[in-house]
Structures are given as structure tokens and as C-alpha cells.
Amino acid sequence: MSDSSNNIRVFRGITGLEQLRTSWNSLAKRVPDKRFFHLYEWHHCYLNALEEDESRVYYLAYFFGDQVEAIFPLALRFRSFCGVSFSILETFNHPHVPLNDILCVKSDGSPDYLHKFTQFLRCQREIKWDAINLSKILQDSRVYSFLRTGPRQLCIINTAGLNDYIPLDGYEVFLQKISKNFRDSLRKARNKLNSYSTGAKNELAF
């Protein structure tokens, strides 16, 4: 399924994902700050090992000519609210999938791919849906940046939790946070190690 005016095509399930493999990997190489959940291999493993019904997973791909510029993974789920059943397109919500995002090159001149994808979904007729739920999205993700800056109708954004992380400030900054006595002890140990021959160093380091 495709839309010639918006250059968007839909790839369904694991068969569709495998059709995207070359284009996906080519796009990922152009994304310098990609993370594990942006990778083709991550999604292939998810469909093979964790997804109960891979036929309900869709990959929306935005093409410019023959080149993919953005990929938006979504899964169709059925949810009930107050006794009413809804068809929800949502990012992956499995316990073993901690984060989600659109794969695209982020720059100041980038189009609002989220807006293009949602406009396409409103116009197409094959996927029946009532709402879109974007969960497990980081604040520095592409999806969140599009949500924050783009035009949105009937859009609700809620903070849903925090992610633990270890700040990597560099070796010098790390040393400054260590007490002076401990730094002196480390310096003495290093000097003692340097006084040994190469063979003894290897033994001590082991």
C-alpha cells in the first residue's frame, strides 16, 4: 500500500520489514546518533521473538525518490475504555521494549515526518484506527521533537516515567569527584606499578 502524493508506503509484518532491510540499513548509516531501538536487527528480533501477531505491525516509510528518509513503526491494538472498544495504533508496548522512536535524519531543515505520517493515516482506508498512542518516548527523541514543535489536533502529552542513566563526564571530571586521600592512594599505587619491569607489570595488572 502506498500514497504517491506523500511518497509514503506501508510495509506489514515481518515480510514487509524484510523488504525494507536494505533501505533501513542505508538510512540508519546516515543517522549518527542512532540507538539500539533504531536498528533493523532490533525490530526483526522483536517480531520474531516477542510480538504475538506480527501481521498487526506496520512500518510506514517515507520515500524521496528511491531513498527512504523516515520509518515509523506502529502496531494495531484493540483497547476497551468504559465498555467501548477502540482500535489504537501505538508504538511497541512490550515489557522488553523500553523505548520507541521514528528513524530519520534530524536536522533544522527536516520535514515534520510525524505530521506527514498522521496525515497519510487519516487519508488511507486500509488500516482502520481511532487513535494513536505514542508511548515510551524520550524527550530527546525525534517523535517528541515533532510533537513539541509541529501542528497537532486533539493531542495530549503526559510524562510517563523516568529512565535511569549514568552521566559520562569524562575522566578528568570523574577524578575531581574522588576524595584527595583516595587520589593520593591511587597515585602511589600507579607509581609503584611503574617502578616494576614489564613482566611484573603484566602480572600485577592481571
Side-chain angles (χ1 to χ4, degrees):
M1 181 172 59
S2 66
D3 178 73
S4 58
S5 61
N6 287 328
N7 303 311
I8 293 175
R9 305 175 198 169
V10 178
F11 296 82
R12 185 175 184 176
I14 194 165
T15 301
L17 176 63
E18 290 174 346
Q19 292 172 353
L20 264 177
R21 179 174 184 171
T22 300
S23 297
W24 188 307
N25 290 333
S26 177
L27 173 59
K29 289 179 181 178
R30 297 159 49 208
V31 179
D33 57 342
K34 59 182 172 290
R35 297 172 176 173
F36 67 91
F37 50 88
H38 289 125
L39 300 179
Y40 168 87
E41 291 79 8
W42 170 259
H43 285 265
H44 198 270
C45 288
Y46 169 77
L47 292 186
N48 271 308
L50 300 177
E51 176 57 46
E52 293 182 358
D53 187 354
E54 51 89 19
S55 68
R56 295 194 179 277
V57 175
Y58 299 90
Y59 291 93
L60 280 62
Y62 183 92
F63 283 80
F64 185 78
D66 294 330
Q67 183 169 270
V68 173
E69 296 294 329
I71 300 174
F72 190 17
L74 290 170
L76 184 63
R77 309 297 186 199
F78 302 104
R79 309 293 185 197
S80 180
F81 299 96
C82 299
V84 180
S85 180
F86 294 90
S87 299
I88 309 295
L89 279 173
E90 61 182 25
T91 48
F92 300 154
N93 200 24
H94 192 278
H96 295 311
V97 180
L99 297 168
N100 298 287
D101 200 6
I102 287 177
L103 174 63
C104 67
V105 179
K106 185 167 62 175
S107 65
D108 293 338
S110 297
D112 184 342
Y113 291 115
L114 181 59
H115 179 67
K116 290 181 179 295
F117 285 133
T118 53
Q119 286 294 101
F120 168 76
L121 286 169
R122 288 191 180 101
C123 295
Q124 58 83 43
R125 293 292 179 266
E126 184 170 332
I127 305 173
K128 308 297 183 182
W129 61 281
D130 299 303
I132 298 176
N133 177 36
L134 306 177
S135 63
K136 301 182 179 180
I137 302 297
L138 290 175
Q139 285 187 317
D140 64 350
S141 68
R142 286 149 175 80
V143 166
Y144 186 76
S145 67
F146 292 141
L147 282 172
R148 185 168 44 85
T149 59
R152 298 288 169 260
Q153 297 177 346
L154 301 176
C155 178
I156 301 173
I157 301 176
N158 292 320
T159 301
L162 300 173
N163 284 80
D164 296 327
Y165 70 98
I166 300 176
L168 302 177
D169 299 322
Y171 182 68
E172 295 301 327
V173 176
F174 171 73
L175 282 182
Q176 292 174 7
K177 296 179 180 179
I178 298 176
S179 69
K180 183 178 183 299
N181 289 338
F182 189 48
R183 288 202 305 270
D184 290 341
S185 297
L186 288 176
R187 191 176 298 109
K188 291 176 182 178
R190 182 192 61 192
N191 293 337
K192 185 175 182 179
L193 180 64
N194 289 337
S195 68
Y196 288 94
S197 65
T198 302
K201 282 183 184 178
N202 291 337
E203 184 179 351
L204 287 172
F206 178 79

